[in-house]
Amino acid sequence: MVAPQSDARPRRKVHASTWVFGGLVAAVILLLNLSGPRLLEDEETWAVDEVYPGYYLMDHQHVGWPFSFLVLLPGAEDVPSRVERFVAFGLALDVAIAFGIVLLACLGFEFWRRRRRAGFRVSDLLILVVVVAAGFALVNHHRAQYERELNALRAIPKSTQRMSMRFDVQWQTGGPSWLRSRISHRGLEIFDRVVEIEVKPNELEHVAQLQHLKVVNIEGVPSSDQLRVLARLPALDAVAISLMRSGGIAQANGARDHDWAKFPPLPKMRVLEIEGIPFRGDGLEHQPALQAVNLNSTAINDDALRRVARLSGLRYIVLDHTAVTNAGLVHLRELDQLVGLGLVKTQVDHVGLVSLPQLAQLRGLALGGDQVTDDAIEVLYRAESLESLTLADTALTDLAFLGDMRGLKTLALYGRDIRDEVVPTLARLKQLKCIRFHHDAITRKNLRELRAQLPDGCELDLQFMGWNRAATVAENVSGDP
């Protein structure tokens, strides 16, 4: 029996079928890359509110596999206008990995093609079996991870859940999105992962099994021991802890100040939001990636701001309803990237603000309380880059200066800062994109006049007014005075 002859063509000359095979592999990688199977369309990430330096969840679309190199804002507009972040290094890694995969696939195919002319060898069959087995192993790996996360969710007592498991849990869909759009989600759900969860402090022990968690919302006062679980979450991006009650700082049942909340080092946490908790800032200095901190109604004081000053990458900080004074604000001078600051109902006045070297670069500022007097107008004039301004129950007697702030894009007025006299001033701000009112001290007649003078692209947000919230803004404005 004569053994089949191998292909004796020159080494540099490859078969046409190898080029076709390489093109198919490249096409598959391109489809996977554009749909982003690991960072998919409905992923929830933290973003900065345009009107107030707080935080909310926004849907983004991440493009890239296995590295996300393009982050798009939601919307139906063309891609260039939706680009929020572009990472050239991520794109370079994607291209390098794709080139390596295509090259190895073509070399393997060409090697196999040269060794045979017809028929399969036993070695070919073994290679096919290995490839199929690797595929099944990958699927089983994802299924095991999915089952592990389901078991962790089932371990949380149902009595503590508000409505159902899905009510307090946000899932990130996995697998190729282009394939999900063509077949049923059933079968691809094993690629889904829990990325956000709301739990009580005594449930944190079960969270450690959710290795893809990015956002953890804690409803209650956790202890330092309970917070150590967060250090076992490699993808953790944001933590929110809240126990808001009337009267400012809330005290948990039976909890003592020294029992709670010294944060462990969380190297990837970018956002921390703590409201209504007697938090004193313990552990903040060990969070190098923090970019945004909300410490509304906490026990933060001037001494605690020394820890905050060590966060060199901090861009947004909210200190509303805290005991911070002008002396404590001095520590923020070291934050040279600061662009958003919230100081509603603190003890900081215009003297402390003027001393901030970052004042000219602030894009968002919130002021409120009796300590904000007409002397603060000088501060606002110095904030040359200010795009977002919130005034809440200040002691300002005249808001006519707002008409000279041509850089403002969003403006929010709360409480006694809303009055009919402000309407002509606001009408002069043709560059405004959004105005929010949180009071009903302004008449509908004046609102109609304001709406008529504002540019078409400006949103008049009345959702907090003392009218029927089910009615539309247009109905509220056009109704009888």
Side-chain angles (χ1 to χ4, degrees), residues 157-199:
K158 292 185 178 180
S159 60
T160 65
Q161 298 180 15
R162 264 55 70 189
M163 291 179 62
S164 67
M165 182 182 298
R166 292 277 174 170
F167 180 77
D168 299 318
V169 174
Q170 295 293 331
W171 293 78
Q172 177 179 309
T173 54
S177 57
W178 57 271
L179 186 58
R180 277 182 177 266
S181 64
R182 290 166 174 78
I183 65 174
S184 171
H185 286 211
R186 188 178 300 276
L188 289 178
E189 62 185 9
I190 64 171
F191 297 100
D192 296 348
R193 297 293 178 264
V194 177
V195 293
E196 180 186 356
I197 192 169
E198 179 181 322
V199 294

Side-chain angles (χ1 to χ4, degrees), residues 390-409:
T390 296
L391 297 176
D393 276 318
T394 69
L396 293 168
T397 60
D398 187 2
L399 298 181
F401 70 92
L402 291 175
D404 299 325
M405 302 186 69
R406 301 300 180 181
L408 276 184
K409 295 182 180 179

Side-chain angles (χ1 to χ4, degrees), residues 437-449:
F437 289 146
H438 193 292
H439 203 274
D440 56 1
I442 192 168
T443 64
R444 295 187 180 183
K445 177 182 178 181
N446 283 323
L447 281 175
R448 288 200 302 270
E449 294 178 1

